[in-house]
């Protein structure tokens, strides 16, 4: 009894380079861009909720010391609310893989990193988690290489 041979691999698309497997020089960056967009949407939603909580009730968060960059908690609430909305919008744009979305995403994540660094006195563990997540998102955004011609 003979078995049929597997079909040959499909030829590459006419506009792709030899060895190009679908849009990025680094498969970790392609998956990272999708994960980064997802993380941005989730982070943005958490930041919006965190901002609403700080605006609605100043007694929810307490500071762990005196710092130079101390703001009123209502001001922090508005900062997190605005940054959260921008991060959600940029995260949704990352799913398209468009250059503008990556640029806006990098700028907005940079703002979120600064805000989380300054938020350390109020939520140290959460801020550290979000800083590390933001750094991964930035790595993903900067390492993604599209195969589409410019």
């Amino acid at each position: 009894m003979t078995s049929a041979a597997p079909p040959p691999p499909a030829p590459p698309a006419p506009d792709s380079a030899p060895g190009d497997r679908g849009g990025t020089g680094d498969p970790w960056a392609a998956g990272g861009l999708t994960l980064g967009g997802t993380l941005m949407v989730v982070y943005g939603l958490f930041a919006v909720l965190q901002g609403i909580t700080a605006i609605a009730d100043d007694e929810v968060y307490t500071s762990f010391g005196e710092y130079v960059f101390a703001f009123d908690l209502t001001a922090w609430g508005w900062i997190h609310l605005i940054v959260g909305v921008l991060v959600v919008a940029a995260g949704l744009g990352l799913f398209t893989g468009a250059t503008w979305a990556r640029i806006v995403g990098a700028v907005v994540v940079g703002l979120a990193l600064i805000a989380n660094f300054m938020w350390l006195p109020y939520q140290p563990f959460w801020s550290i988690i979000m800083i590390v997540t933001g750094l991964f998102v930035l790595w993903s955004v900067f390492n993604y290489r599209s195969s589409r011609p410019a």
Side-chain angles (χ1 to χ4, degrees):
M1 174 182 255
T2 63
S3 64
D15 61 336
S16 66
D20 188 12
R21 293 194 175 257
T24 179
D26 187 358
W28 282 94
L33 192 66
T34 303
L35 179 61
T38 304
L39 290 174
M40 285 178 69
V41 170
V42 170
Y43 164 75
L45 293 175
F46 280 139
V48 167
L49 293 174
Q50 192 173 23
I52 290 170
T53 302
I55 292 168
D57 188 9
D58 284 352
E59 305 301 318
V60 172
Y61 299 109
T62 60
S63 178
F64 291 107
E66 295 295 322
Y67 293 89
V68 175
F69 44 85
F71 289 122
D72 178 54
L73 279 174
T74 304
W76 274 118
W78 283 105
I79 290 169
H80 281 288
L81 182 67
I82 292 167
V83 169
V85 169
L86 292 174
V87 169
V88 167
L92 292 173
L94 273 183
F95 291 125
T96 65
T99 303
W100 68 266
R102 292 189 318 228
I103 293 169
V104 170
V107 169
V108 171
V109 169
L111 291 173
L113 286 172
I114 293 168
N116 278 300
F117 175 76
M118 295 176 72
W119 185 247
L120 275 167
Y122 299 99
Q123 292 288 314
F125 296 115
W126 181 252
S127 294
I128 290 170
I129 290 169
M130 294 317 299
I131 288 170
V132 170
T133 303
L135 291 174
F136 175 74
V137 170
L138 282 179
W139 177 85
S140 301
V141 166
F142 288 130
N143 282 315
Y144 180 78
R145 302 285 183 258
S146 176
S147 67
R148 288 183 274 170

